[in-house]
Amino acid sequence: MSSTALRRTALDAVHRSLGATMTDFAGWDMPLRYGSERDEHLAVRTRAGLFDLSHMGEITVGGPQAAQLLNHALVGNIASVGVGRARYTMICQADGGILDDLIVYRLAETEYMVVANASNAQIVLDALTARAEGFDATVRDDRDAYALLAVQGPESPGILRQLTDADLDGLKYYAGLPGTVAGVPALIARTGYTGEDGFELFVKPEHAVALWEALTEAGAGVGLIPCGLSCRDTLRLEAGMPLYGNELSTSLTPFDAGLGRVVKFEKEGDFVGREALTEAAARAEAAPPRVLVGLIAEGRRVPRAGYAVVAGGEVIGEVTSGAPSPTLGKPIAMAYVDAAHAAAGTPGVGVDIRGTHEPYEVVALPFYKRQK
């Protein structure tokens, strides 16, 4: 067997039976779409969508000094996260460059689950393992211990309520609680990457198919459909959510990415990157770096990552993500642009699309915000 064989999730046979178009994503064979990307996108915005996210990387950190280890290894104040809550944070290099953005769930007093992006799971695992030296804590690779299903969209609470007696009403955004869904033990988390209300369900791989089928059945009456990675990308783009490798990279600090708020200098003890990030924070305050903004096309041409943003014949930035927006009905993009051109409504901004400067409107992110 080739060492380059793609990994398959526990739901692989289900995706194929549904006629999914599969794609290599970070070494995993994942569903890109089942039918129309636009239909899947709009289902999540207006009804509900069901996703397989089993490619994400789960790492369990436990032991008496688990909190101290995570405070040292990550930029956030993880020790202050309550049991049953979750926090968005980052892991940085010593020079302040972003290795990955993460969600950390505190499962118990001395047990945490770190969820990394699929493309960075091994990098994060290696970094946490190295940084654990000297701490009374363990770092365990649990990527094979979990399948991850997500049900996202305004109908998702009603769908899930049919299958669990867990207190969904009491479950806040960025919180997780152990429960049973369709008879399957699960960590039920109110998190997601779509800009909608929704839940992520961490279960044992052997329970994934039964849970997928139960969710499909429970959601049939309200228009739930299976959704692939393609619409997940357009949903997160509309919601202004960064994607590692596009808006985030080792060449950027959290301050360069406009996410300096995740760095908690006030926490106790030293943490990896503190010195470099202190300097980055001062630099950002003195002279703002390029700013992440939204761009909405006046025409129909779609901007792609790497395209130059221009004004007055000069390059003033670069597109990081671009796609047609099903919700707005126009092409949109996120881009880092010089601070002088970052204000909403800045005139004369365009994107160089194969030599033509297409006009774009600069807007504040996100493009889309759900009505609470």
Side-chain angles (χ1 to χ4, degrees):
M1 184 174 151
S2 159
S3 61
T4 56
L6 293 179
R7 299 182 70 180
R8 294 183 172 194
T9 78
L11 291 160
D12 184 75
V14 173
H15 302 319
R16 290 168 197 281
S17 73
L18 291 168
T21 299
M22 305 296 286
T23 189
D24 174 358
F25 187 84
W28 290 82
D29 207 12
M30 297 297 294
L32 189 64
R33 72 182 79 80
Y34 298 85
S36 151
E37 292 166 13
R38 186 175 179 278
D39 289 350
E40 291 172 24
H41 179 109
L42 294 174
V44 175
R45 284 278 177 262
T46 59
R47 303 186 305 277
L50 180 59
F51 296 82
D52 177 11
L53 305 179
S54 303
H55 60 311
M56 300 295 281
E58 296 87 5
I59 301 161
T60 302
V61 178
Q65 291 189 309
Q68 291 93 318
L69 162 58
L70 289 170
N71 263 15
H72 164 71
L74 311 179
V75 300
N77 187 355
I78 308 306
S80 69
V81 178
V83 173
R85 297 307 302 262
R87 184 157 297 165
Y88 176 78
T89 187
M90 294 182 183
I91 183 166
C92 290
Q93 300 178 147
D95 68 0
I98 303 166
L99 280 173
D100 201 14
D101 62 335
L102 312 164
I103 295 181
V104 180
Y105 297 88
R106 189 169 194 167
L107 304 180
E109 195 59 41
T110 60
E111 187 182 6
Y112 297 81
M113 181 168 67
V114 177
V115 181
N117 285 297
S119 54
N120 294 328
Q122 190 64 46
I123 291 166
V124 173
L125 178 67
D126 291 346
L128 286 174
T129 303
R131 294 174 189 187
E133 196 175 327
F135 289 92
D136 187 4
T138 56
V139 176
R140 185 174 74 229
D141 180 0
D142 270 347
R143 282 177 286 180
D144 293 334
Y146 291 103
L148 176 56
L149 282 66
V151 55
Q152 299 278 306
E155 297 286 355
S156 54
I159 293 167
L160 206 54
R161 212 168 268 122
Q162 297 174 54
L163 302 173
T164 184
D165 56 8
D167 178 18
L168 298 184
D169 291 336
L171 187 63
K172 296 183 174 70
Y173 187 50
Y174 266 75
L177 84 172
T180 302
V181 182
V184 170
L187 171 67
I188 305 166
R190 200 164 207 152
T191 44
Y193 194 51
T194 62
E196 296 299 336
D197 191 10
F199 302 88
E200 296 185 321
L201 307 170
F202 295 85
V203 298
K204 288 182 177 175
E206 58 264 33
H207 294 148
V209 172
L211 182 56
W212 179 280
E213 289 172 350
L215 288 163
T216 299
E217 195 176 324
V222 291
L224 171 97
I225 61 171
C227 293
L229 293 182
S230 186
C231 83
R232 190 166 184 250
D233 191 48
T234 52
L235 289 160
R236 70 92 196 165
L237 176 55
E238 286 184 352
M241 295 175 166
L243 174 65
Y244 195 89
N246 291 52
E247 287 73 40
L248 309 174
S249 71
T250 51
S251 63
L252 296 171
T253 72
F255 294 95
D256 297 323
L259 291 164
R261 63 181 181 276
V262 305
V263 182
K264 302 300 182 190
F265 292 116
E266 70 278 10
K267 64 180 175 176
E268 279 182 37
D270 196 17
F271 63 90
V272 178
R274 181 191 273 274
E275 193 178 330
L277 290 169
T278 302
E279 292 170 10
R283 273 199 312 274
E285 205 167 321
R290 283 186 165 176
V291 179
L292 189 64
V293 301
L295 299 173
I296 300 179
E298 292 182 21
R300 309 302 306 165
R301 297 182 76 185
V302 178
R304 298 297 180 192
Y307 285 11
V309 182
V310 292
E314 300 289 316
V315 174
I316 57 150
E318 186 176 303
V319 171
T320 54
S321 297
S325 164
T327 305
L328 276 64
K330 296 176 180 179
I332 60 171
M334 286 201 278
Y336 282 111
V337 302
D338 294 343
H341 295 87
T346 299
V349 173
V351 175
D352 186 338
I353 301 182
R354 297 188 190 89
T356 306
H357 292 186
E358 298 283 340
Y360 275 74
E361 181 190 356
V362 179
V363 298
L365 292 168
F367 299 97
Y368 167 86
K369 201 165 191 177
R370 72 182 173 96
Q371 304 301 308
K372 291 284 188 277

